[in-house]
Amino acid sequence: MKKRFILLSLFLVLFLSACNGNDELAGKTFKLGYPSLDPNMSIEEDADDPDKYASLLTVEFLDGNTFTSSIQNGEGTYELNDNVLLLHFKNDNEILKLSFKIKESEKDFSTYAAEVSDADFEMTNADAVSHFKNLFSALNNDTYVEFIEVKK
């Protein structure tokens, strides 16, 4: 009887961990920041100062691989596979897909360091107001960002 209980408990733990999808981002909020360039400061000093990182946007990762962001109408879905994070923004007029190569950050104040590996933007009506075009324009391939966790 004890063996069955132990086996059943072990199976249940493995099953529940597989159902969670190993989503380490769910429930966390990050500021995506990049080093701002100030000609009066030393780059080495600024690299370790979180206040010297300009914010591109803030992303709150939710359950079910969804997220909200600080951009108006900035809701979407995300996928995290190995070291690639794909953010997929969508509204009635626009689609923005951002792909990041992520790794653990070497900065004390940041959780992940990332590099934009791909960015794709589409608008169905060019005369309408764009909510994602500025972000797309700011993120070229190889743009470096830090995922700085926002504590609530």
Side-chain angles (χ1 to χ4, degrees), residues 20 26 28 48 60 63 75 79 90 103 113 118 126 128 130:
N20 286 340
K28 296 182 180 177
D48 292 325
E60 180 181 3
D63 291 330
E75 297 178 350
E79 293 176 38
K90 186 175 184 179
K103 63 180 182 178
D118 192 32
S130 173

Side-chain angles (χ1 to χ4, degrees), residues 35-43 46 52:
S36 58
L37 299 176
D38 183 351
N40 298 322
M41 296 297 227
S42 164
I43 291 176
D46 293 347
K52 299 297 180 184

Side-chain angles (χ1 to χ4, degrees), residues 84-87 97-101 115-120:
V84 176
L85 173 64
L86 175 66
L87 297 180
K97 294 179 185 177
L98 299 174
S99 181
F100 296 93
K101 289 187 248 177
E115 188 176 291
V116 176
S117 58
D118 192 32
D120 187 35

Side-chain angles (χ1 to χ4, degrees), residues 11-122:
F11 175 75
L12 185 60
V13 167
L14 290 173
F15 179 75
L16 290 175
S17 64
C19 289
N20 286 340
N22 195 20
D23 187 0
E24 61 196 62
L25 297 176
K28 296 182 180 177
T29 302
F30 295 94
K31 174 181 100 171
L32 275 62
Y34 63 95
S36 58
L37 299 176
D38 183 351
N40 298 322
M41 296 297 227
S42 164
I43 291 176
E44 291 177 16
E45 289 175 11
D46 293 347
D48 292 325
D49 184 354
D51 294 330
K52 299 297 180 184
Y53 282 72
S55 180
L56 285 168
L57 73 151
T58 302
V59 178
E60 180 181 3
F61 293 97
L62 308 170
D63 291 330
N65 289 1
T66 60
F67 70 86
T68 61
S69 76
S70 56
I71 296 175
Q72 186 175 359
N73 298 324
E75 297 178 350
T77 59
Y78 70 94
E79 293 176 38
L80 179 60
N81 296 314
D82 296 325
N83 66 339
V84 176
L85 173 64
L86 175 66
L87 297 180
H88 184 233
F89 296 82
K90 186 175 184 179
N91 63 28
D92 293 340
N93 186 44
E94 303 167 284
I95 296 173
L96 173 61
K97 294 179 185 177
L98 299 174
S99 181
F100 296 93
K101 289 187 248 177
I102 63 171
K103 63 180 182 178
E104 189 173 318
S105 180
E106 296 175 2
K107 310 283 184 217
D108 291 337
F109 61 85
S110 177
T111 307
Y112 302 105
E115 188 176 291
V116 176
S117 58
D118 192 32
D120 187 35
F121 176 71
E122 296 175 29

Side-chain angles (χ1 to χ4, degrees), residues 71-73 91 93-96 121-137:
I71 296 175
Q72 186 175 359
N73 298 324
N91 63 28
N93 186 44
E94 303 167 284
I95 296 173
L96 173 61
F121 176 71
E122 296 175 29
M123 279 185 80
T124 55
N125 179 1
D127 294 331
V129 173
S130 173
H131 297 288
F132 306 141
K133 191 172 186 176
N134 287 341
L135 178 59
F136 173 73
S137 298

